[in-house]
């Protein structure tokens, strides 16, 4: 544990909601472990364990925990925006965006640029067409979808927070109702492309639950959990929704891409469940050693998330380089190697975190000139960022030299264009407002 993490833990205000910090770390850690376990690598490429063993898909009802991260994001964004608004005269939108994105975009763009350089070198050397290499260059950027969606949540926080302050649970109900309507239009009426609206409605509804928690308005978490679990079960049993709460290769309908009403119900059940555990967990977090560990983990969680697939691919590459065979996925030999592979991936992730964590550490920045047009500039910047990051999650880095593209909101985008949008958007956000210190945690 670093001295800075120890000092931050000791300086924690008495009124800080420590449970939110634990949820942030636990949700990202669960996602990382799930990715390591689900990757079924063989000589034929990279598959998905849940597709090979469908009975395991029921585990996603507990392990698909990304809704918890977005729920925590809503809580933290509400506190941060209100804190900034209390201490600032005039518009705060640009300053809010800049403050919230510094710890998110810097490590993300470093990750993108490092991997883009690696992919370019591999393709210039003529090694980009191999089965495993091509799959790796596609896989490594896929988790960036989460960061793109998170950027959208940050961008929409001010107007949706005002909506919440006026209407409370009705604001959440409106977003949930819109998500349900989208699924009706999609599945019952066959309206084309309407399903993509649920990337906004479903995830913003989960984010809205974080606002409700910030105001202490989730008073019956058991009811919320039971209603969400029952709703998800009924939709899967009698509707067109698959069992898995993560995407499966080749499936006609995914609960994740785009999100469905079933995934929103899943989010409700998870939020209710974690709220039920808040009391005992908060008491546990009052122990100094436990809290110091949570603070230290929060300081590197995003870096670990960005690089964990790189570590996993490194473990498999080392296995091949040493002449060790890759057993067929889901066989007894494959399962026997799982603990060793996961420990090795964790160790290599630790090495990568040590190399790159400084880009996640907040640092003083030179003040940007104050602008009357700061809000529009920041809005344009974050829009470019989220489109670039989402585009890159779809294109991968396997076609840098041949113009490979993917369709993003009805428009084709290439990896170089996506990288340029993300970098340009970050520059605009950075230049849109003076540097300010804003409460970034829960």
């Amino acid at each position: 544990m670093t001295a800075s993490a120890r000092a931050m833990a000791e300086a924690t205000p008495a009124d800080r909601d420590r449970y939110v910090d634990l949820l942030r770390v636990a949700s990202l850690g669960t996602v990382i472990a799930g990715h390591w376990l689900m990757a079924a690598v063989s000589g034929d490429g990279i598959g998905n364990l849940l597709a090979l063993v469908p009975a395991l898909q029921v585990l996603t009802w507990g392990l698909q925990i990304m809704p918890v991260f977005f729920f925590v994001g809503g809580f933290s964004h509400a506190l941060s925006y209100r804190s900034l608004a209390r201490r600032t005269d005039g518009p705060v939108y640009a300053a809010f965006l800049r403050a919230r994105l510094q710890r998110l975009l810097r490590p993300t763009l470093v990750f993108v640029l490092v991997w883009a350089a690696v992919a370019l070198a591999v393709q210039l050397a003529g090694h980009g067409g191999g089965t495993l290499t091509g799959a790796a260059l596609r896989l490594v950027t896929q988790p960036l979808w989460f960061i793109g969606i998170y950027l959208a949540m940050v961008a929409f926080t001010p107007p949706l927070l005002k909506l919440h302050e006026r209407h409370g649970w009705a604001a959440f109900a409106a977003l949930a109702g819109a998500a349900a309507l989208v699924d009706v239009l999609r599945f019952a009426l066959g309206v084309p492309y309407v399903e993509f609206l649920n990337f906004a409605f479903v995830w913003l509804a989960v984010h809205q639950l974080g606002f409700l928690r910030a105001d202490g308005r989730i008073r019956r978490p058991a009811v919320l959990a039971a209603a969400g679990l029952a709703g998800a079960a009924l939709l899967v049993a009698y509707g067109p929704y698959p069992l898995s709460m993560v995407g499966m290769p080749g499936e006609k309908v995914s609960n994740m891409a785009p999100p469905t009403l079933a995934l929103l119900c899943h989010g409700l059940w998870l939020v209710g469940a974690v709220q039920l555990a808040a009391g005992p967990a908060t008491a546990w977090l009052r122990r100094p050693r436990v809290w110091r560990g949570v603070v230290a983990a929060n300081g590197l969680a995003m870096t670990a998330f960005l690089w964990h697939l790189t570590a996993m691919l490194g473990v498999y590459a080392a296995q091949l380089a040493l002449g060790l065979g890759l057993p067929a996925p889901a066989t007894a030999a494959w399962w026997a190697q799982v603990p060793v592979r996961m420990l090795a991936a964790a160790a290599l992730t630790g090495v990568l975190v040590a190399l790159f964590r400084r880009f996640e550490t907040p640092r003083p920045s030179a003040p940007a000139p104050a602008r009357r047009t700061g809000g529009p500039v920041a809005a344009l910047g974050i829009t470019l960022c989220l489109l670039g990051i989402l585009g890159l999650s779809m294109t991968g880095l396997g076609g840098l030299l041949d113009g490979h593209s993917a369709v993003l909101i009805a428009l084709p985008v290439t990896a170089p264009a996506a990288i340029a949008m993300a970098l340009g958007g970050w520059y605009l956000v950075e230049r849109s407002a003076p540097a300010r210190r804003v409460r970034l945690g829960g």
Side-chain angles (χ1 to χ4, degrees):
M1 183 184 302
T2 65
S4 61
R6 184 181 299 274
M8 289 175 62
E10 293 173 353
T12 301
D15 62 345
R16 184 179 180 88
D17 192 330
R18 302 184 180 198
Y19 185 48
V20 166
D21 295 278
L22 176 64
L23 290 178
R24 184 184 296 113
V25 170
S27 57
L28 285 181
T30 302
V31 170
I32 289 171
H35 285 169
W36 286 341
L37 181 62
M38 287 193 301
V41 179
S42 67
D44 298 326
I46 303 176
N48 189 310
L49 176 66
L50 299 181
L52 297 172
V53 188
L56 294 178
Q57 292 179 17
V58 70
L59 296 179
T60 64
W61 287 51
L63 298 179
Q64 166 48 300
I65 203 167
M66 199 56 85
V68 174
F69 189 90
F70 293 143
F71 163 66
V72 168
F75 176 91
S76 298
H77 296 158
L79 294 190
S80 297
Y81 186 81
R82 287 168 172 172
S83 174
L84 184 60
R86 284 193 299 268
R87 296 183 286 110
T88 304
D89 293 327
V92 299
Y93 185 66
F96 170 74
L97 291 189
R98 188 179 187 214
R100 293 305 296 179
L101 297 190
Q102 279 190 350
R103 286 188 63 183
L104 181 65
L105 280 181
R106 285 180 65 231
T108 300
L109 292 177
V110 168
F111 167 81
V112 167
L113 291 176
V114 169
W115 258 106
V118 170
L120 186 60
V122 167
Q123 290 167 63
L124 286 173
H127 301 305
T131 301
L132 286 176
T133 302
L137 293 178
R138 290 190 302 272
L139 175 69
V140 75
T141 64
Q142 286 181 5
L144 293 179
W145 73 266
F146 140 75
I147 295 175
I149 296 297
Y150 197 79
L151 289 172
M153 292 178 174
V154 174
F156 282 106
T157 287
L160 288 181
L161 185 58
K162 290 182 180 178
L163 192 68
H164 157 76
E165 289 169 348
R166 291 180 182 176
H167 303 290
W169 275 99
F172 164 79
L175 289 168
L181 177 61
V182 165
D183 275 13
V184 170
L185 295 174
R186 174 187 181 184
F187 294 118
L189 302 179
V191 177
Y193 304 115
V194 71
E195 63 268 25
F196 294 103
L197 291 173
N198 268 350
F199 276 112
F201 293 140
V202 169
W203 290 125
L204 289 175
V206 174
H207 189 249
Q208 205 80 5
L209 290 171
F211 296 165
L212 291 162
R213 187 187 194 278
D215 289 345
R217 300 189 65 174
I218 301 180
R219 300 187 181 96
R220 297 181 179 180
V223 173
L224 190 66
L229 187 59
L234 290 171
L235 288 170
V236 169
Y238 299 104
Y241 305 96
L243 174 65
S244 175
M245 291 298 163
V246 300
M248 291 290 101
E251 64 185 358
K252 293 182 179 180
V253 176
S254 166
N255 281 320
M256 272 289 294
T260 64
L261 182 61
L263 185 66
L264 177 55
C265 289
H266 173 70
L268 290 175
W269 122 252
L270 286 179
V271 167
V274 298
Q275 282 293 100
L276 285 172
T282 300
W284 181 61
L285 288 167
R286 293 193 186 101
R287 300 179 182 180
R289 182 175 298 180
V290 173
W291 178 236
R292 287 195 297 267
V294 171
V295 170
N298 259 298
L300 51 82
M302 184 54 61
T303 304
F305 174 79
L306 288 166
W307 291 97
H308 75 281
L309 287 182
T310 302
M312 183 200 74
L313 293 171
V315 170
Y316 277 109
Q319 192 171 347
L320 290 172
L322 293 172
L324 304 175
L326 295 178
T331 61
W334 185 88
W335 281 108
Q337 290 185 2
V338 165
V340 177
R341 280 199 306 269
M342 292 187 73
L343 287 173
L348 186 51
T349 299
V351 173
L352 292 169
V353 166
L355 289 174
F356 294 105
R357 64 173 297 179
R358 64 182 181 274
F359 298 105
E360 186 175 352
T361 303
R363 65 176 184 178
S365 56
R371 300 174 182 267
R372 291 185 178 181
T373 57
V377 170
L380 175 61
I382 197 170
T383 299
L384 289 174
C385 282
L386 71 90
L387 290 177
I389 297 298
L390 286 176
L392 194 59
S393 75
M394 298 170 65
T395 64
L397 292 167
L400 288 175
L401 299 178
D402 58 13
H404 170 71
S405 65
V407 177
L408 176 66
I409 314 179
L411 294 174
V413 61
T414 63
I419 293 171
M421 283 193 291
L423 290 172
W426 184 43
Y427 174 80
L428 290 177
V429 172
E430 282 289 298
R431 303 298 296 173
S432 66
R436 295 181 183 273
R437 184 179 298 276
V438 180
R439 182 182 183 184
L440 292 176

